[in-house]
């Protein structure tokens, strides 16, 4: 007989499951699947690698995969999935990219990072992955989210983000660090710190020294706009961010943001130099829904601008996670081996396309529908594969969410509808108002249930604190995801939405009457405006709605968001019934003026003029029209209509009671015959006045005198271009009124303008040596007094007049540059581009004259040029291009500009730039050694009767030096007079400022002595010129004195000394940054056969 058959191996079913012996279900499954290998059961292992992977999971994450879960039901009695909220699936590459980008930023440079993708693709989660890294680096994280409601006021959201930053700085730093930050801010902003404090009310939490500015007066003369807001924030970020404290700003859902607001961020990111070598350290992260923006959206323009300005940017696009990563996500959520979830994952992937948020909501819906549930008996998750496959759902998560919401109680659904109308979040100040109504008295209970249902969360202190706002503290309720908000909003029928918004607005309005709303005014007005047509049933309701829009507009003006303000104010004007000027005069006046001002700040001059004309027609008195008139003359100035501005000032001043003075002192064809006596009288009255004496003059608080001084101050500026002969009489009148009516910021401007007029008065060369010490002292007094008065809106103009037109006659010219740079920042921060650009212009002009380092000047002028280009100021652009042309010539004869950048843009010289053009051409010709060409441009310059005194003094010096080259060939008496007259003029100027002019006198005298053969005198005078130049830090003129001394000693045969002076000249020119002059001196040294000794 054959051998007996061997028994077959036992099957898995013949063993008792380990689970029944108390082992974990996962271990039981693993052993069971190993035993099923031969039987080819559904879950049996088919290779050793799969078993090894499962064992690794048991070892690495025992709490999730080895041990059985504690079954704690949720609010609905369901055992929830264990979603790993801290883990990003399938985004390892993207996480590495964003972390690497931040590493670059934390080394001291700014960078942008853009994340595009569908809603729910995990953009926000990706950004959160770098947050811990920012904290470790000592940085700050500021997050702001745009939505469909906030799109009407995006600039306010940006400003609010930086206002939140103040709170974060307060929370994160020691008292000493806060004190240092406050000191740095005060140093950076100076007297215009109040501009920053008005923009960011939370600034005071950093230090009480950073006090909030006075209450906003809508009739003030500031001209802030989105560009000036951006500039103020740029200066702020320069101070508070650095490599040691990098700033990460995350703006979510940029598809709701407009281009003008994005330019604010662009300016901060591109601020690598800040004109002074101190840029920002900002990591900007912006996310947007790529499926909701077209190719012409402002986001892409923003990106292109950053590329053009050499700001490093990374652009990512997020799509759904792939099948393997989705399977891992589901495996983690259920604590089940990935191979066992594959069938479920395949179904989920097909229905959700891997969108992470959609996946999670779909899984939750399966749990809610009992299609996916935790089996207590099997101690593992089980699902109905066939039923899930058969589910008919759209490819949009909204259907899942709305179905889930529809199962909530009517009360909770009502809360969802209400909250969704306010956007992504709703602040407690609005909840307080709603709770005070009968209709929504239980809204807080509904919010608690929404938190319980995981539709909403609360965030503490996420508001924009303000001392005058009810929204200064408290919580904000936010939807957990913007898709949840969209689903909640979908609960309202489309045809009912406008009425729903209107009803909400009316309810809020009814309970808010008589209350200070602060920021809460925006959600109220937005609700009413959304359903406006259903609200406008009576004239009284129209007026009430107009008043609310006005309040919102004023609030925007306070925060310098004139674009949003203009939207609210335009809406308010459209609500005014006919004959409103008669029935609601003050409302009409205020609305029209603010509408004009906000339109002007947004660059819409025509709309502003239209509103102004209505005020001038309907206003009942000059006092009510004066603000509109002042706005009108500013518009005229911006349009370069100086004649119209001047005539309008005359008209207004006559109406304000100044007709007698205007008729007596400013008749047509004024010849100025009484000016000397006027000046003598004013000078005597002002003689030896101290700060205390000036402040002791009783101030006339009447609106009229304040307006008179404001218009006279403005009139002086435009008269300089239109009718310069009346400038000094006007200034004398301002001084007279100041002494009689007291010191105000505009009267101090009058003192400055009076001083400037006196300094510029003597334009003819025979009068160039007139006394300037008295007006310089008076101007210094005025500047000192301005520090004692809130004057941030005019400080830029004050600095332009004092440091650009006066101070260099008495103070070291190098110090003027620093203050002119501050004047530029102050002017731009207040929207006073006229003064800002003049400050920048004189900064470069005086720095060139003062021997500033040429490379530094090129960098600073590049910065100024970029700013004026952004503002579209053609005149200032041409001026800076002229300066850059001179700088390039001085560096290397223009060789560094082989592409001819800017040369073609200069084109024909504007008549207003003729003086600057001829001065710069004469300067270039002098340093290039082209004496005859220099002589040509000097003559053209001197022929203009409007040449400024300072230009005349400086050009006298260079003309006098270059004339000695002519005298070598043409010994005419006419030529001999040029250096002698220059010496006389500069010697007189040196009495007021030896620092600025003493070295020039010595050098001219040295050249004259050398020319006349008085060699001993020449030797000592060259030495004196070199010492004086070094002492006054005129390195270029020290080099010139050494160079000319070298030629002098070469001429008299002392080659050893000549070599020594040429070497000194070479060193000075190298320090100045002039490669052209260094090469020239090197050639001289080679010719003499000597090197450096």
């Amino acid at each position: 007989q054959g051998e007996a058959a061997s028994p077959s191996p036992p099957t898995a079913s013949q063993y008792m499951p380990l689970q029944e012996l108390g082992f974990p279900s996962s271990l039981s499954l693993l052993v069971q699947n190993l035993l099923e290998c031969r039987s080819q059961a559904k879950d049996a292992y088919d290779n050793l690698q799969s078993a090894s992977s499962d064992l690794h999971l048991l070892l690495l994450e025992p709490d999730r995969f080895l041990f059985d879960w504690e079954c704690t039901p949720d609010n609905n009695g369901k055992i929830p999935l264990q979603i790993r909220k801290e883990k990003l699936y399938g985004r390892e590459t993207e996480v590495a990219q964003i972390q690497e980008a931040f590493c670059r930023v934390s080394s001291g440079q700014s960078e942008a990072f853009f994340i595009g993708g569908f809603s729910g693709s995990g953009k926000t989660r990706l950004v959160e992955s770098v947050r811990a890294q920012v904290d470790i680096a000592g940085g700050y994280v500021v997050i702001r989210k745009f939505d469909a409601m906030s799109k009407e006021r995006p600039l306010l959201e940006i400003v609010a983000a930086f206002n939140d930053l103040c709170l974060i700085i307060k929370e994160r730093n020691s008292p000493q660090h806060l004190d240092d930050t406050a000191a740095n801010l005060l140093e950076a902003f100076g007297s215009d710190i109040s501009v920053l404090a008005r923009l960011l009310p939370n600034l005071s939490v950093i230090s009480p020294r950073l006090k909030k500015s006075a209450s906003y007066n809508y009739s003030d003369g500031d001209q802030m706009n989105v560009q000036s807001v951006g500039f103020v924030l740029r200066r702020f970020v320069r101070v508070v961010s650095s490599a040691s404290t990098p700033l990460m700003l995350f703006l979510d859902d940029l598809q709701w943001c407009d281009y003008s607001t994005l330019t604010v961020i662009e300016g901060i990111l591109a601020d690598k130099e800040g004109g002074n070598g101190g840029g920002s350290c900002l990591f900007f992260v912006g996310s947007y829904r790529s499926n909701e923006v077209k190719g012409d959206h402002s986001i892409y323009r923003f990106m292109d601008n950053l590329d053009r300005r050499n700001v490093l940017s990374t652009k990512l696009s997020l799509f759904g996670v792939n099948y393997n990563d989705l399977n891992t996500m589901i495996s983690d959520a259920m604590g089940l081996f990935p191979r066992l979830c594959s069938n479920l994952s395949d179904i989920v992937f097909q229905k959700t396309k891997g969108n992470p948020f959609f996946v999670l909501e779909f899984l939750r819906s399966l749990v809610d529908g009992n299609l996916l549930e935790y089996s207590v008996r099997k101690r593992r998750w089980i699902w109905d594969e066939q039923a899930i496959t058969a589910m008919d759902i759209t490819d949009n998560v909204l259907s899942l969410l709305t179905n889930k919401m529809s199962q909530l109680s009517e009360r909770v659904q009502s809360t969802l509808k209400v909250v969704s109308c306010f956007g992504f979040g709703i602040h407690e100040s609005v909840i307080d108002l709603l709770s005070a109504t009968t209709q929504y008295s239980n809204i807080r209970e509904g919010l608690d249930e929404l938190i319980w249902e995981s539709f909403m969360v609360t965030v503490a202190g996420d508001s924009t604190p303000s001392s005058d706002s009810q929204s200064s503290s408290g919580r904000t309720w936010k939807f957990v995801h913007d898709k949840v908000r969209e689903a909640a909003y979908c609960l309202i029928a489309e045809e009912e939405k406008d009425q729903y918004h209107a009803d909400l607005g009316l309810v809020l309005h009814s309970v808010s009457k008589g209350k200070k709303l602060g920021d809460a005014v925006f959600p109220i007005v937005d609700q009413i405006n959304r359903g406006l047509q259903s609200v406008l049933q009576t004239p009284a309701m129209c007026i009430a709605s107009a008043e609310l829009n006005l309040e919102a507009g004023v609030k925007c003006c306070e925060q310098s968001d004139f674009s949003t303000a203009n939207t609210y104010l335009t809406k308010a004007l459209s609500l005014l019934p006919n004959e409103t000027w008669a029935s609601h005069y003050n409302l009409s006046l205020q609305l029209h003026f603010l509408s004009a001002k906000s339109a002007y700040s947004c660059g819409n001059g025509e709309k502003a003029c239209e509103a102004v004309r209505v005020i001038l027609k309907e206003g009942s008195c000059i006092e009510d029209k004066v603000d509109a008139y002042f706005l009108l003359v500013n518009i005229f100035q911006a349009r370069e209509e100086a004649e119209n501005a001047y005539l309008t000032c005359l008209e207004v001043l006559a109406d304000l009671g100044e007709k007698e003075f205007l008729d007596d002192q400013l008749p047509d064809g004024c010849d100025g015959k009484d000016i000397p006596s006027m000046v003598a009288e004013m000078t005597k009255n002002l003689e030896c006045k101290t700060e205390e004496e000036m402040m002791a003059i009783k101030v006339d608080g009447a609106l009229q005198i304040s307006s008179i001084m404001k218009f006279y101050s403005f009139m002086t500026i435009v008269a300089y271009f239109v009718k310069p002969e009346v400038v000094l009489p006007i200034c004398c009148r301002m001084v007279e009124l100041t002494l009689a009516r007291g010191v105000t910021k505009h009267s101090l401007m009058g003192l400055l303008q009076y001083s400037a007029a006196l300094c510029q008065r003597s334009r003819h060369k025979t009068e160039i040596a007139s006394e300037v010490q008295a007006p310089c002292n008076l101007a210094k007094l005025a500047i000192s007094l301005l520090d004692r008065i809130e004057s941030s809106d005019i400080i830029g103009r004050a600095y332009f007049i004092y440091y650009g037109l006066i101070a260099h006659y008495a103070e070291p010219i190098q110090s003027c540059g620093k203050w002119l740079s501050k004047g530029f920042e102050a002017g731009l921060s207040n929207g006073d581009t006229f003064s800002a650009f003049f400050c920048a212009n004189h900064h470069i002009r005086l720095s060139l004259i003062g021997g500033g380092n040429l490379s530094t000047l090129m960098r600073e002028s590049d910065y100024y040029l970029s700013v004026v280009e952004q503002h579209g100021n053609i005149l200032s652009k041409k001026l800076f291009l002229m300066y850059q042309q001179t700088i390039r010539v001085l560096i290397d004869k223009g060789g560094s500009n082989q592409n001819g950048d800017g040369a073609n843009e200069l084109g024909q010289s504007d008549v207003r730039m003729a003086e600057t053009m001829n001065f710069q051409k004469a300067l270039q010709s002098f340093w290039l050694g082209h004496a005859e060409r220099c002589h040509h441009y000097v003559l053209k310059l001197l022929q203009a009767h409007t040449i400024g005194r300072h230009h005349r003094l400086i050009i006298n010096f260079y003309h006098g030096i270059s004339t000695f080259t002519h005298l070598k060939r043409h010994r005419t008496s006419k030529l001999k007079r040029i250096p002698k007259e220059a010496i006389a003029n500069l010697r007189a100027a040196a009495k007021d400022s030896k620092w600025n002019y003493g070295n020039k006198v010595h050098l001219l005298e040295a050249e004259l002595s050398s020319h006349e053969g008085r060699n001993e005198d020449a030797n000592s005078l060259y030495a004196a010129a070199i010492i004086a130049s070094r002492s006054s830090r005129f390195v270029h003129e020290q080099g010139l004195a050494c160079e000319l001394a070298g030629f002098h000693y070469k001429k008299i045969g002392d080659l050893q000394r000549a070599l020594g002076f040429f070497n000194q000249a070479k060193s000075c020119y190298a320090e100045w940054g002039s490669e052209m002059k260094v090469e020239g001196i090197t050639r001289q040294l080679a010719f003499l056969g000597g090197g450096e000794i």
Side-chain angles (χ1 to χ4, degrees):
Q1 295 183 356
E3 293 181 0
S6 61
S8 59
T11 63
S13 60
Q14 294 176 298
Y15 292 102
M16 176 181 290
L18 294 179
Q19 184 176 328
E20 295 182 15
L21 298 176
F23 286 87
S25 61
S26 57
L27 190 59
S28 176
L29 271 173
L30 185 145
V31 172
Q32 178 180 337
N33 295 158
L34 283 171
L35 293 172
E36 292 173 341
C37 287
R38 292 188 177 183
S39 65
Q40 297 183 345
K42 177 182 177 182
D43 295 331
Y45 287 107
D46 56 4
N47 59 72
L48 187 59
Q49 181 62 41
S50 297
S52 176
S53 297
D54 288 353
L55 283 168
H56 271 90
L57 284 176
L58 296 178
L59 290 171
L60 294 176
E61 298 188 67
D63 288 339
R64 184 171 292 271
F65 288 100
L66 176 58
F67 304 120
D68 292 332
W69 291 5
E70 294 183 9
C71 303
T72 305
D74 62 12
N75 309 327
N76 299 314
K78 308 282 187 180
I79 296 176
L81 293 163
Q82 300 297 309
I83 306 296
R84 300 185 84 161
K85 296 181 180 180
E86 77 286 354
K87 184 173 179 179
L88 271 172
Y89 294 90
R91 304 297 190 206
E92 291 78 12
T93 300
E94 291 84 353
V95 169
Q97 284 182 282
I98 194 170
Q99 291 181 348
E100 288 170 7
F102 177 72
C103 283
R104 292 191 293 270
V105 172
S106 60
S107 66
Q109 66 177 26
S110 292
E111 188 170 326
F113 199 95
F114 295 96
I115 309 171
F118 283 49
S119 176
S121 57
K123 301 183 293 293
T124 303
R125 291 288 311 282
L126 176 61
V127 177
E128 289 173 352
S129 70
V130 79
R131 187 160 189 163
Q133 189 178 355
V134 179
D135 291 338
I136 292 171
Y140 309 121
V141 178
V142 181
I143 300 174
R144 212 72 189 181
K145 184 178 179 67
F146 295 100
D147 58 30
M149 301 304 294
S150 63
K151 72 175 181 178
E152 300 298 332
R153 46 181 187 278
L155 183 58
L156 289 184
E157 293 296 326
I158 296 290
V159 173
F162 288 100
N163 202 30
D164 289 343
L165 175 58
C166 296
L167 297 177
I168 296 171
I169 292 172
K170 166 69 174 177
E171 295 167 359
R172 293 281 304 275
N173 293 292
S174 66
Q176 182 59 52
H177 188 280
L178 294 176
D179 195 55
D180 292 342
T181 301
N184 293 335
L185 285 168
L186 288 167
E187 171 65 23
F189 281 84
S191 58
D192 57 325
I193 188 69
S194 59
V195 178
L196 178 64
R198 195 183 90 192
L199 196 64
L200 307 178
N202 287 342
L203 192 68
S204 59
V205 305
I206 296 176
S207 170
R209 291 186 291 164
L210 306 176
K211 61 181 179 180
K212 186 178 179 181
S213 58
S215 298
Y216 177 72
N217 182 355
Y218 70 83
S219 64
D220 280 348
D222 67 87
Q223 305 162 49
M224 289 193 75
N225 51 34
V226 66
Q227 291 169 316
S228 54
V229 168
F231 188 72
V232 172
L233 293 177
R234 201 180 313 164
R235 296 170 66 189
F236 174 64
V237 175
R238 284 180 206 163
V239 175
V240 300
S241 69
S242 64
S244 59
T245 54
L247 169 62
M248 174 177 160
L249 173 63
F250 173 38
L251 297 182
D252 197 6
D253 281 343
L254 286 179
Q255 71 272 5
W256 299 113
C257 195
D258 63 4
Y259 176 70
S260 63
T261 303
L262 291 175
T263 60
V264 173
I265 306 301
E266 178 188 326
I268 300 173
L269 286 168
D271 186 36
K272 296 179 181 178
E273 296 287 343
N276 301 304
S280 306
C281 189
L282 172 67
F283 184 41
F284 171 73
V285 182
S287 71
Y288 60 97
R289 298 184 190 177
S290 53
N291 59 312
E292 296 183 17
V293 294
K294 296 181 180 179
D296 60 350
H297 194 280
S298 57
I299 291 174
Y300 299 117
R301 185 178 172 190
F302 176 39
M303 293 178 183
D304 291 342
N305 286 350
L306 292 179
D307 290 339
R308 180 176 56 82
R309 300 180 71 174
N310 298 316
V311 176
L312 186 60
S313 302
T314 304
K315 304 171 185 69
L316 281 185
S317 292
L318 295 186
F319 302 98
V321 296
N322 62 38
Y323 169 79
N324 289 331
D325 292 317
L326 183 142
N327 189 45
T328 302
M329 182 193 305
I330 294 176
S331 167
D332 286 350
M334 297 193 297
L336 198 59
F337 297 133
R339 61 186 179 82
L340 301 178
C341 307
S342 59
N343 290 340
L344 176 62
S345 297
D346 184 60
I347 301 170
V348 174
F349 186 76
Q350 295 299 320
K351 293 184 179 294
T352 65
K353 303 299 185 291
N355 181 287
F357 182 72
F358 196 176
V359 168
L360 295 178
E361 288 303 319
F362 183 57
L363 291 174
R364 290 186 180 112
S365 71
L366 295 179
V367 173
D368 292 340
N370 297 321
L371 299 180
L372 174 64
E373 59 184 342
Y374 186 81
S375 171
V376 177
R377 184 179 66 81
K378 294 184 177 182
R379 286 185 283 174
R380 54 163 288 188
W381 286 88
I382 58 174
W383 55 89
D384 188 335
E385 191 172 309
Q386 186 175 0
I388 295 172
T389 303
M391 286 181 67
D392 182 19
I393 65 168
T394 66
D395 60 356
N396 194 321
V397 72
L398 288 179
S399 61
L400 290 176
L401 292 169
T402 50
N403 287 337
K404 184 176 181 179
M405 291 174 179
S406 63
Q407 298 172 22
L408 300 172
S409 68
E410 285 295 324
R411 180 171 59 83
V412 177
Q413 286 190 53
S414 174
T415 302
L416 273 172
K417 293 177 183 179
V418 170
V419 176
S420 70
C421 288
F422 293 91
F424 186 70
I426 184 170
H427 190 265
E428 190 162 26
S429 58
V430 181
I431 296 299
D432 287 341
L433 293 173
L434 288 170
S435 299
T437 67
T438 303
Q439 187 174 353
Y440 303 111
S441 59
N442 59 357
I443 190 171
R444 288 184 181 275
E445 288 78 3
L447 288 169
D448 289 341
E449 288 196 41
L450 289 175
I451 294 172
W452 186 264
E453 293 286 349
S454 300
F455 286 123
M456 301 196 79
V457 294
T458 57
V459 181
D462 192 54
S463 62
T464 306
S466 173
S467 60
D468 62 349
S469 170
Q470 283 195 353
S471 59
S472 61
S473 60
R475 295 174 292 172
T476 297
W477 280 261
K478 290 187 175 183
F479 287 100
V480 295
H481 195 275
D482 45 14
K483 280 296 181 184
V484 177
R485 184 261 167 189
E486 288 181 41
Y489 196 53
C490 287
L491 294 175
I492 309 172
E494 192 64 36
E495 64 275 10
E496 298 175 2
K497 286 180 178 176
D498 286 350
Q499 184 63 51
Y500 203 94
H501 282 283
D503 291 343
L504 269 176
L506 291 174
V507 166
L508 287 169
H509 175 55
S510 66
V511 297
S512 62
K513 288 181 179 178
K515 296 181 180 179
K516 267 193 170 184
L517 294 176
D519 289 343
V521 70
F522 297 122
I524 296 175
V525 175
D526 290 343
Q527 299 305 313
I528 292 177
N529 288 348
R530 174 65 190 269
L532 206 54
Q533 294 307 314
S534 60
V535 172
L536 304 180
Q537 299 171 0
T538 65
M541 195 63 238
C542 289
I543 294 297
S545 298
E547 289 174 339
L548 276 173
N549 274 280
L550 171 61
E551 186 176 350
V554 170
K555 188 70 179 175
C556 290
C557 289
E558 289 176 356
Q559 299 177 6
S560 302
D561 184 359
F562 289 101
S563 177
T564 305
N566 191 244
T567 302
Y568 285 120
L569 296 167
T570 300
K571 178 70 71 176
L573 285 173
S574 70
L575 295 170
L576 294 181
N578 295 330
E579 307 301 325
T580 309
W581 279 95
S583 59
H584 294 82
Y585 178 82
N586 289 334
L587 174 63
S588 299
L589 179 65
Q590 192 177 6
L591 268 177
H592 279 85
F593 176 72
L594 274 178
S595 177
K597 183 172 181 177
S598 59
Y600 173 56
S601 294
C602 294
N604 193 339
E606 283 303 320
K607 183 177 179 181
C609 284
E610 183 182 339
V612 165
R613 283 192 287 269
V614 174
I615 295 173
L616 300 184
K617 176 185 175 183
E618 302 289 348
S620 61
C621 59
I622 184 61
E623 287 78 11
D624 288 347
K625 299 178 184 180
V626 71
D627 292 327
Y629 270 124
F630 194 68
L631 180 58
L632 183 61
V633 296
N634 274 281
I635 294 173
F636 284 146
Q637 184 192 45
R639 291 176 172 178
E640 299 185 5
E641 299 176 18
E643 180 77 26
N644 287 335
Y646 176 77
L647 293 174
T648 303
C649 286
L650 280 178
E651 177 187 345
V652 175
L653 286 165
D655 289 343
L656 288 171
E658 288 293 291
K659 190 174 189 305
E660 181 179 350
F661 167 77
L662 297 173
D663 290 343
D664 290 346
Q665 300 296 333
L666 303 182
D668 291 337
C670 173
D671 58 7
K673 59 184 177 181
D674 293 328
I675 290 178
S677 60
M678 293 171 63
V679 171
E681 182 182 356
M682 291 303 108
T683 302
K684 182 179 179 181
N685 292 336
L686 288 167
E687 194 173 14
C688 301
K689 286 285 186 183
T690 65
E691 287 188 36
E692 287 67 29
E693 289 173 330
M694 293 295 292
M695 294 301 293
I697 302 172
K698 187 176 180 181
V699 177
D700 187 336
L703 171 65
Q704 193 174 46
I705 187 61
S706 174
S707 299
I708 289 171
M709 296 300 287
K710 184 162 64 172
F711 273 91
Y712 269 136
S713 177
F714 189 92
M715 187 180 180
T716 306
I717 299 292
V718 295
Y720 180 83
F721 300 102
V722 175
K723 205 170 184 180
E725 66 271 18
V726 305
V727 170
L728 199 47
I730 296 172
C731 291
C732 287
R733 177 60 175 163
M734 293 180 74
V735 173
E736 181 182 10
L737 289 170
T738 298
L739 294 173
R741 303 292 187 91
V743 171
T744 65
K745 62 182 180 182
H746 293 296
S747 66
L748 292 175
M749 282 298 300
L751 295 183
L752 284 170
Q753 289 165 317
Y754 174 73
S755 302
L758 289 182
C759 288
Q760 297 295 320
R761 181 185 174 198
S762 301
R763 294 185 176 278
H764 301 293
K765 61 182 179 181
T766 55
E767 300 174 302
I768 199 168
S770 298
E771 175 69 39
V772 295
Q773 193 61 53
C776 285
N777 290 339
L778 177 60
K780 184 178 278 190
L781 173 65
I783 285 290
S784 181
L785 287 169
L786 275 173
D787 289 338
R788 300 169 65 168
I789 298 174
E790 169 54 39
S791 56
S792 59
D793 59 321
I794 63 166
I795 202 67
R797 187 158 299 195
Y799 282 4
F800 147 54
I801 294 173
Y802 180 65
Y803 293 105
L805 304 177
I806 302 171
H808 49 70
Y809 293 114
E811 296 186 26
I813 195 172
Q814 294 91 343
S815 67
C816 296
K818 169 190 172 184
W819 290 103
L820 286 166
S821 177
K822 288 183 176 293
F824 164 78
E825 294 184 333
L828 213 55
S829 295
N830 284 281
D832 183 6
T833 55
F834 175 85
S835 300
F837 295 154
F838 266 98
C839 281
N841 164 29
H842 285 283
H843 176 204
I844 300 299
R845 179 182 75 86
L846 295 179
S847 295
L848 261 174
I849 294 171
N853 179 268
L854 296 173
S855 296
T856 300
L857 283 178
M858 181 58 74
R859 189 186 74 240
E860 290 174 336
S861 62
D862 272 337
Y863 170 65
Y864 288 142
L865 186 59
S866 69
V867 175
V868 301
E869 284 178 334
Q870 291 167 27
H871 285 75
N873 191 298
I874 304 300
L875 176 61
S876 294
K877 179 178 180 179
K878 288 186 175 182
L879 287 170
F880 285 116
L881 288 173
M882 283 185 201
Y883 295 140
Q884 290 199 332
Q885 193 177 69
T886 299
I887 296 168
R888 288 190 175 101
V889 166
L890 294 175
I891 290 175
D892 58 3
K893 297 184 181 181
S896 58
N897 189 32
Q898 295 179 359
N899 296 327
D901 294 342
N904 296 329
E905 298 184 59
L906 281 172
Q908 285 295 108
S909 175
D910 190 306
V911 65
R912 296 165 299 175
M913 298 190 297
E915 178 181 337
T916 300
M917 174 71 81
N918 289 323
F919 182 87
Q920 294 300 319
K921 289 293 185 182
L923 206 60
Q924 293 171 27
S925 300
F926 173 84
W927 287 106
L928 286 168
H930 302 155
E932 291 186 5
R933 192 180 299 173
C934 177
H935 183 69
H936 165 75
Y937 284 114
V938 169
L939 291 181
K940 288 185 68 174
L941 186 63
L942 296 178
Q943 285 167 3
H945 71 281
T946 57
I947 178 176
R949 171 186 278 185
H950 190 243
H951 269 173
R952 185 183 291 275
L953 278 170
I954 300 302
I955 214 62
N956 268 192
F957 168 66
Y958 288 113
H959 193 206
I961 295 293
S962 67
T963 298
F964 289 107
T965 303
H966 284 284
L967 285 171
K968 293 174 183 177
R969 299 189 296 270
H970 311 287
R971 292 180 176 271
T972 66
S973 58
K974 184 178 180 181
L975 286 176
K976 287 182 180 178
R977 286 199 302 270
I978 292 174
K980 291 181 179 179
E981 289 176 355
I983 290 171
N985 291 329
L986 289 163
R987 186 179 287 139
K991 292 180 181 178
D992 296 315
S993 179
K994 185 177 179 180
W995 178 287
N996 290 333
Y997 305 106
N999 70 305
K1000 297 173 177 62
V1001 174
H1002 289 316
L1003 189 53
L1004 279 167
E1005 290 177 335
E1007 282 288 276
L1008 183 61
S1009 298
S1010 178
H1011 175 74
E1012 294 177 347
R1014 294 181 285 111
N1015 294 334
E1016 290 298 324
D1017 290 342
N1019 294 347
S1020 60
L1021 286 167
Y1022 280 123
I1026 293 168
I1027 292 171
S1029 298
R1030 184 189 303 122
S1031 176
S1032 297
R1033 303 202 302 275
F1034 292 127
V1035 67
H1036 61 320
E1037 291 174 3
Q1038 182 185 346
L1040 177 63
C1042 291
E1043 180 183 5
L1044 295 177
F1047 281 115
H1048 165 72
Y1049 282 105
K1050 176 184 174 184
K1051 181 181 71 172
I1052 64 175
D1054 191 342
L1055 298 184
Q1056 188 69 12
R1057 285 194 176 184
L1059 284 171
F1061 280 112
F1062 280 134
N1063 273 306
Q1064 289 183 49
K1066 182 179 178 181
S1067 176
C1068 291
Y1069 288 143
E1071 183 180 346
W1072 185 28
S1074 176
E1075 297 172 15
M1076 176 259 296
K1077 291 300 295 181
V1078 169
E1079 290 173 3
I1081 297 298
T1082 302
R1083 286 194 296 271
Q1084 275 298 324
L1085 288 168
F1087 178 76
L1088 291 174
E1092 297 187 8
I1093 57 177

